[in-house]
Every structure is written in C-alpha cells, then in structure tokens.
Amino acid sequence: MYSELPPDIRERHPFHMYDEIRAQPEAVARSVSIVERDGAAIVETLADAERVFVAGCGTSMHAAEVGAWMLRAFSAGEIDSHAVGAFNLLTYDFGLRPGDLVVGVSHSGTTIMTIRALQRAAELGARTVALTGLPNSPVTEVAQQVLYTGYPEERSWAHTISYLAALTSFAALANEIAAAGRRLDLAALPEVVRGALQLDELAHRLAAGYLLAEQGGKEPSIVLIGAGANAVTGRETVLKLRETSYVGAASFDLEESLHGPLASVTSDTLVVLIVPDGRSIHRATELAGALARIGVTPVGLVGTQAAERFDAAHRILLPDTPEALSPIPAVVPLQLFSYFLAIGKGHNPDLIRRDEEPYRLAAKEYE
C-alpha cells in the first residue's frame, strides 16, 4: 500500500498531516457517535470474553496498547485485556482458545500481519473483531465483527487522525462497559482536543528550539517519558518523529527511565515528560529532580495539578481531562511538534520517505 505514491502530494505547508491534525475534534466526535450508534454488539462481545487480545502494527499497535489499557481501566479490571503485536500473535503460542476475543486494529484494513493474526485466532476458536477506518477493506472480510472508526479520508501516511479516532473508539467502547459510577462524559472530548490544538504555537517553538540547536552544530537526542497509557504516547511520538523527521528519538516508561537510561542523557538532550493529572505526578517530580542534577531542564507536558509541581520545567499545559482519557489530548501537541520539526528540516511529513526510491522499494519487500 505505501510503496505507491499518492496522486495528491502537497509540496508545502500545510501538508495533509497538518490539516488532519487540525480536523481531529470532528473525527473524535464522529468516533464516539459511531460506537454509541453501532457498537452494542461489540460491547456485548467484549463483556462476554474470557480474555481480550488487541493486536496491531505500527501506529495501530500503539492504538492497541492504549485500547487494552482503557478496557482494563474503565472496567476496573473486569476486562482481562492485553496488547500483542500482530506478528507475535500470529507466530507464537499465546494459548488462544474459545472464549477469547482478538481485536485487530488496522486503519487501512490491509495490514497483512493483522489480517493473518485474525485468521489464526478464528482457526483456534477465538472470536474476532476488526477496528478499521476503511469499509470493505480486506480486514473486514476475515473478522466476525467490524467497528469503523469513522475517518476513511486520511491522506498522510504519518497517521495522526486515524490514531486519535482509534483511541476514541476504544474509549467509547470501554465507557459503555464501565459501571455507572465509572462512566465518563465523552461529549466533552472534541472540545478537549480543540483545547490541545491551541498548543500549536508552543509546539512550533519547541521545534524551532531544536532546529536552532541543530544549526549550532549539535543534534540533540530526544527522549520522551510517560507512565501508564502515556508511556504509549511517548512511543507513538517517537514513531512520528522518526518517520517524518528521521531524527534519533527514544521513549521510556517513567519508572524504567530511572534504571539506566539517564546515563545516556546529557544537558543537550531534549527530554519531554508526559505528566497529565493522575497517579504519576509524584514520581515524575522525582525524575525532574534527577534530571536537574545532570543539567537538564525538561519540557513538561502537564495537567493543571501537575503544573504546580514542575516549576523548574518548561511547561506545556494540557486541557483538563480524566487520566483514563489523557492519551487522547496528550498526543496532539506532540503530533504538532513532529510536524513542525519535519517541515523545518525540509521534509514532506506525509510520505514517510516513500518519495525516495530506496525506501519505496524497501516498502515493497514487506507490505
């Protein structure tokens, strides 16, 4: 799929990636409404499953990780959900059996390993669901049930809007399963995402600061750190940075960052802490103190309560939202940072280097 260039390539800002980031509030609203309208049968399937395995590749794997987290969190552990890479689920023995459910996430609906993982799950007696953006795509032919995320129009191969649509679909499914006292008001989500889009200028400045350091003869490494589901936000941002700007970036779980990785951090490293309001604030402030000892002032992507604890950080204030939903707004300014860094380097972020023949030929080897 990604080895053939699209017909509507843009040559300058705004690239498709930017327009799609800006369109995310409407996509989020659409995803919620689809689940509320069409999701009852899948909610029932999720609730009846003994175990739930959520599988994907690339950005869809990150959506699978957050989705599995949301299913556990909203259900207070009643849903025994796990994220597994589609290749691993296909290749290795996870003991799939009748009573299990496999949810395959593929925006394009053409991801071959996800399709094969669903086929194998069905052969072993598990039920299967596809979460996809494209109706009538190959994945819909192999899954027993299908839920559409509601955004088939995506043009940029640096998937942003499809990622948020998938996360929102999982949040809406999980919210339907949650007990009455744990349910959240998802009607506010589009406005929360609009609030995150207001961080556009700060994301632009962050990219400009990195480029300025690079022009000064340095190429700072980038490290993203988060806890809970926002450890996945860090990994998704690393993927966006690598595929659009081709920079060296890494991501660590909050606690794991304190057990070795700090040895590779220097005063030139751009460290981004993803700390929405929630359970990780105290430990994140301890990490910020450790970073200060080695001359690093991190960028803190923080919630209102967390902001009070990060006086020494360059703070970017996230819109208020429950921690269980925070991966949805938290990724938005990081998508914008990735975008502005790419265009500042003179790259087309939509094409993930498929406009260069060696990379396009490489894609043919594994699609």
Side-chain angles (χ1 to χ4, degrees):
M1 176 182 177
Y2 300 121
S3 60
E4 300 299 329
L5 293 178
D8 54 347
I9 296 174
R10 293 184 179 178
E11 302 292 340
R12 61 182 64 86
H13 172 74
F15 290 93
H16 290 297
M17 180 182 176
Y18 185 73
D19 281 352
E20 288 167 353
I21 292 172
R22 301 294 304 181
Q24 288 179 132
E26 293 74 23
V28 163
R30 196 184 315 174
S31 296
V32 171
S33 67
I34 288 172
V35 172
E36 292 176 346
R37 185 189 67 218
D38 302 331
I42 292 175
V43 168
E44 184 176 346
T45 300
L46 283 163
D48 289 343
E50 293 178 9
R51 298 181 300 173
V52 178
F53 294 89
V54 193
C57 300
T59 291
S60 289
M61 179 59 203
H62 295 151
E65 290 183 280
V66 176
W69 184 280
M70 286 177 168
L71 290 170
R72 288 194 306 273
F74 278 72
S75 70
E78 290 295 318
I79 302 294
D80 183 15
S81 53
H82 312 268
V84 184
F87 176 80
N88 286 338
L89 193 63
L90 171 67
T91 307
Y92 298 99
D93 186 3
F94 282 81
L96 286 176
R97 57 182 182 262
D100 290 339
L101 171 66
V102 174
V103 180
V105 185
S106 172
H107 169 68
S108 69
T110 62
T111 311
I112 190 63
M113 287 302 163
T114 303
I115 292 170
R116 290 176 181 173
L118 288 172
Q119 290 172 326
R120 180 169 186 257
E123 290 168 1
L124 294 170
R127 293 190 59 80
T128 58
V129 169
L131 186 74
T132 183
L134 275 73
N136 305 316
S137 58
V139 76
T140 67
E141 298 174 6
V142 303
Q144 295 163 345
Q145 294 175 280
V146 179
L147 181 67
Y148 299 108
T149 60
Y151 195 86
E153 303 94 346
E154 193 167 43
R155 295 290 180 267
S156 176
W157 288 339
H159 297 301
T160 53
I161 193 166
S162 61
Y163 178 69
L164 228 63
L167 262 57
T168 303
S169 297
F170 276 117
L173 288 170
N175 205 41
E176 291 294 319
I177 294 168
R182 301 183 66 88
R183 296 192 68 179
L184 300 174
D185 179 13
L186 300 189
L189 261 184
E191 196 57 38
V192 168
V193 175
R194 286 190 187 93
L197 287 170
Q198 298 306 308
L199 301 172
D200 185 298
E201 180 58 32
L202 289 175
H204 198 175
R205 290 182 192 174
L206 187 61
Y210 180 94
L211 292 167
L212 188 63
E214 192 176 54
Q215 291 165 7
K218 304 173 183 177
E219 187 172 356
S221 59
I222 304 173
V223 173
L224 294 109
I225 298 171
N230 280 300
V232 187
T233 303
R235 291 194 287 276
E236 171 60 11
T237 304
V238 166
L239 177 57
K240 290 294 153 280
L241 289 166
R242 286 184 174 273
E243 66 187 359
T244 63
S245 297
Y246 329 139
V247 297
S251 178
F252 300 100
D253 182 273
L254 171 59
E255 185 61 25
E256 296 311 308
S257 70
L258 293 163
H259 296 271
L262 286 185
S264 66
V265 171
T266 70
S267 59
D268 295 326
T269 305
L270 172 57
V271 178
V272 180
L273 304 182
I274 308 166
V275 194
D277 291 335
R279 300 183 180 186
S280 66
I281 294 174
H282 176 71
R283 192 58 165 162
T285 58
E286 293 180 334
L287 171 60
L291 289 167
R293 294 288 185 179
I294 53 178
V296 174
T297 301
V299 172
L301 198 61
V302 295
T304 304
Q305 297 172 26
E308 299 173 0
R309 307 279 295 274
F310 286 88
D311 291 337
H314 301 298
R315 291 172 292 185
I316 298 176
L317 190 62
L318 291 168
D320 289 335
T321 190
E323 187 175 17
L325 295 174
S326 64
I328 294 173
V331 77
V332 173
L334 296 169
Q335 292 171 338
L336 289 163
F337 168 58
S338 302
Y339 175 80
F340 288 125
L341 190 59
I343 63 172
K345 285 175 165 287
H347 304 318
N348 183 332
D350 294 337
L351 300 180
I352 58 172
R353 224 166 190 166
R354 299 300 195 259
D355 52 335
E356 300 176 38
E357 187 175 7
Y359 293 91
R360 190 162 63 250
L361 293 176
K364 278 185 175 292
E365 294 294 323
Y366 59 83
E367 68 177 5

